[in-house]
């Protein structure tokens, strides 16, 4: 993927408007090895960290990455069902978020904005894989049953989730794992509210049918 390769130790970000630059997003494996105490007092909130990152603080970027990596990776994995892809998608989403950080309104919560980027990228990846015919419709490769205890789901539900279409998986993950409201899902996926509700209903009906057949 060139200079955006998620396997790189860091992504160098371009300059923002006015000549300031945002710090680089670290590779997840590097966090523990080179993490330094954050030079900000006490337990700071995301807004303070975002402001510091906007000023170029690598410490703030690493803290944001450490704080939000698990949720971003989990969301990507639940939509894609592929651990390697989920790691790439989560890291690429952090890169995209940091590139947009100079324009981010710190009055908004960071996590939903980041998860929107993650889930949309995960949907695109899943669609591309299905288009290439790499995964049969009834397959659930690399099912993410072990992530965060299955995000509160049993293994039968996790397997059934991976058998859904990516669009249905996405709305279920956003609603029941990430706690988005239907209106927030509609905004995140650029969909009419009615479409979100119908995908939720169809997805939940299909999940119930698959789980019931699996338990029979």
């Amino acid at each position: 993927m060139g200079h955006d390769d998620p396997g790189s130790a860091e992504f160098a970000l371009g300059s923002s408007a006015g000549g300031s630059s945002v710090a680089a997003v670290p590779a997840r494996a590097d966090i523990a090895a080179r993490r330094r105490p954050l030079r900000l007092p006490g337990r700071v909130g995301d807004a303070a960290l975002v402001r510091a990152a906007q000023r170029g603080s690598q410490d703030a970027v690493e803290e944001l990455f450490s704080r939000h990596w698990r949720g971003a990776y989990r969301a990507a994995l639940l939509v894609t069902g592929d651990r390697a892809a989920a790691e790439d998608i989560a890291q690429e989403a952090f890169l995209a978020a940091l590139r947009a950080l100079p324009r981010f309104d710190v009055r908004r919560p960071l996590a939903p904005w980041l998860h929107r980027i993650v889930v949309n990228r995960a949907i695109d990846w899943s669609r591309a894989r299905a288009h290439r015919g790499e995964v049969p419709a009834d397959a659930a490769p690399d099912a993410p049953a072990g992530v965060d205890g299955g995000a509160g789901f049993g293994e039968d539900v996790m397997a059934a989730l991976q058998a859904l279409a990516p669009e249905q998986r996405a709305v279920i993950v956003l609603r029941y794992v990430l706690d988005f409201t239907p209106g927030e899902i509609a905004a995140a996926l650029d969909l009419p509210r009615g479409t979100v509700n119908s995908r939720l209903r169809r997805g939940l009906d299909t999940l119930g049918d698959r789980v019931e057949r699996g338990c029979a």
Side-chain angles (χ1 to χ4, degrees), residues 28-102:
R28 182 168 62 102
D30 293 342
I31 290 289
R34 63 186 181 84
R35 186 180 176 90
R36 300 182 301 278
L38 188 63
R39 290 189 289 270
L40 288 171
R43 169 68 177 179
V44 299
D46 282 353
L49 290 171
V50 168
R51 291 188 189 97
Q54 288 171 335
R55 295 192 295 269
S57 168
Q58 186 66 34
D59 285 331
V61 169
E62 291 186 5
E63 177 63 23
L64 288 168
F65 190 81
S66 178
R67 189 176 292 185
H68 292 286
W69 167 262
R70 191 178 187 184
Y73 172 72
R74 179 182 63 171
L77 182 53
L78 289 170
V79 175
T80 64
D82 186 296
R83 288 181 173 84
E87 187 157 344
D88 286 350
I89 288 166
Q91 188 135 6
E92 289 167 2
F94 269 100
L95 172 63
L98 285 172
R99 280 178 167 160
L101 210 56

Side-chain angles (χ1 to χ4, degrees), residues 14-210:
S15 297
S16 62
S20 61
S21 62
V22 178
V25 57
R28 182 168 62 102
D30 293 342
I31 290 289
R34 63 186 181 84
R35 186 180 176 90
R36 300 182 301 278
L38 188 63
R39 290 189 289 270
L40 288 171
R43 169 68 177 179
V44 299
D46 282 353
L49 290 171
V50 168
R51 291 188 189 97
Q54 288 171 335
R55 295 192 295 269
S57 168
Q58 186 66 34
D59 285 331
V61 169
E62 291 186 5
E63 177 63 23
L64 288 168
F65 190 81
S66 178
R67 189 176 292 185
H68 292 286
W69 167 262
R70 191 178 187 184
Y73 172 72
R74 179 182 63 171
L77 182 53
L78 289 170
V79 175
T80 64
D82 186 296
R83 288 181 173 84
E87 187 157 344
D88 286 350
I89 288 166
Q91 188 135 6
E92 289 167 2
F94 269 100
L95 172 63
L98 285 172
R99 280 178 167 160
L101 210 56
R103 302 182 300 279
F104 181 70
D105 183 352
V106 296
R107 294 170 297 181
R108 297 171 56 194
L110 181 70
W113 177 66
L114 176 62
H115 289 149
R116 171 181 178 168
I117 299 171
V118 171
V119 170
N120 275 296
R121 285 173 176 264
I123 292 171
D124 289 343
W125 184 92
S126 298
R127 285 172 175 166
R129 182 172 67 171
H131 181 72
R132 293 192 299 268
E134 294 178 5
V135 181
D138 59 349
D142 205 13
V147 176
D148 288 357
F153 300 147
E155 290 190 16
D156 51 350
V157 176
M158 295 299 294
L161 181 65
Q162 292 307 308
L164 297 178
E167 294 82 3
Q168 291 179 348
R169 287 202 302 271
V171 296
I172 289 174
V173 169
L174 285 166
R175 183 72 183 96
Y176 297 105
V177 178
L178 301 177
D179 294 323
F180 278 48
T181 67
E184 289 169 339
I185 297 172
L189 301 181
D190 194 21
L191 293 171
R193 175 76 172 268
T195 300
V196 170
N197 289 334
S198 65
R199 287 183 182 179
L200 281 170
R201 284 194 301 270
R202 289 198 302 270
L204 291 172
D205 287 345
T206 304
L207 270 180
D209 290 343
R210 288 184 177 273

